[in-house]
Amino acid sequence: MKRWISVLLALALTLSIAACGRKPAKVEEVPVLEMMEKIWEGMPAEPQFPCMGGDFETAVEGKPGDFSDREAFVYALYVPENLVDKIEACASVMHMLNSNSFTGAGYQLKDGDDVENFSKDMENALKNNRWICGIPEKYFIAALGKNIVVVFGLSEIVDGFSSSMKNAYPGTNVLYSGSLQ
């Protein structure tokens, strides 16, 4: 009897050690607009504010939209020029009255291996920007597969967005977060 218990315990230990060596499950690839819409839907009801998504050609009211104006990446979303060609697709949502109150963008990168460099360059761009009409309080940069989410604005809204992303996508990898003031 003791021998069988010992064998079963050894087998259980072997299986548990083998399970620890498995690679983590691959993060589901989600279209960037679908990802941003799901995060936005999970946002807390307060504070409410008028927002628009997308760019001037594809603008939608009250939710995220596709952003394909590559020239506008630089001045509307603060993407450094050297990063524009790395973007496959983009979806954005921003405060209608003051983009410094809240701007959020999801970027699907052409090369998923460049997530770390893209994210670090975006953090540097936000930290070194010369803000007009006030400085956003906070920023948040996270990855989900080869999608990068960059948000900045009032702390309460940024915190709500980051919480919504983590709830909607438990595989979210928070890369950078901090104060801009």
Side-chain angles (χ1 to χ4, degrees):
M1 181 73 173
K2 289 181 183 181
R3 179 176 269 174
W4 280 107
I5 292 174
S6 297
V7 169
L8 287 175
L9 286 173
L11 182 60
L13 180 62
T14 303
L15 290 175
S16 66
I17 291 172
C20 290
R22 289 186 194 156
K23 292 182 180 179
K26 185 174 180 176
V27 175
E28 176 187 355
E29 293 297 331
V30 180
V32 72
L33 178 58
E34 179 184 317
M35 178 188 70
M36 291 294 287
E37 287 174 338
K38 186 173 180 178
I39 297 167
W40 190 252
E41 289 169 6
M43 285 279 291
E46 291 296 327
Q48 291 289 332
F49 58 90
C51 68
M52 67 167 266
D55 54 31
F56 298 113
E57 298 294 319
T58 61
V60 293
E61 191 173 333
K63 64 179 187 173
D66 282 319
F67 198 108
S68 57
D69 184 347
R70 300 184 77 69
E71 292 177 12
F73 284 159
V74 176
Y75 69 84
L77 301 176
Y78 303 99
V79 176
E81 288 185 35
N82 65 313
L83 298 182
V84 171
D85 290 333
K86 296 180 180 200
I87 300 169
E88 181 79 30
C90 176
S92 70
V93 62
M94 62 182 62
H95 197 288
M96 268 188 183
L97 303 175
N98 182 351
S99 63
N100 289 352
S101 292
F102 181 79
T103 294
Y107 305 98
Q108 181 180 19
L109 301 184
K110 291 178 182 176
D111 180 5
D113 293 336
D114 205 26
V115 167
E116 184 62 38
N117 291 332
F118 185 94
S119 300
K120 186 64 177 168
D121 288 348
M122 283 300 300
E123 181 191 39
N124 288 334
L126 293 176
K127 285 182 169 182
N128 296 317
N129 189 47
R130 292 189 175 175
W131 298 96
I132 299 174
C133 300
I135 299 173
E137 294 174 350
K138 193 172 188 177
Y139 69 97
F140 169 80
I141 301 173
L144 184 69
K146 65 180 183 176
N147 290 347
I148 305 293
V149 172
V150 178
V151 297
F152 58 87
L154 299 173
S155 294
E156 182 178 11
I157 302 171
V158 171
D159 290 343
F161 194 92
S162 64
S163 293
S164 179
M165 183 174 183
K166 293 174 203 171
N167 289 336
Y169 298 102
T172 295
N173 181 16
V174 177
L175 301 171
Y176 305 102
S177 180
S179 173
L180 288 171
Q181 296 187 342

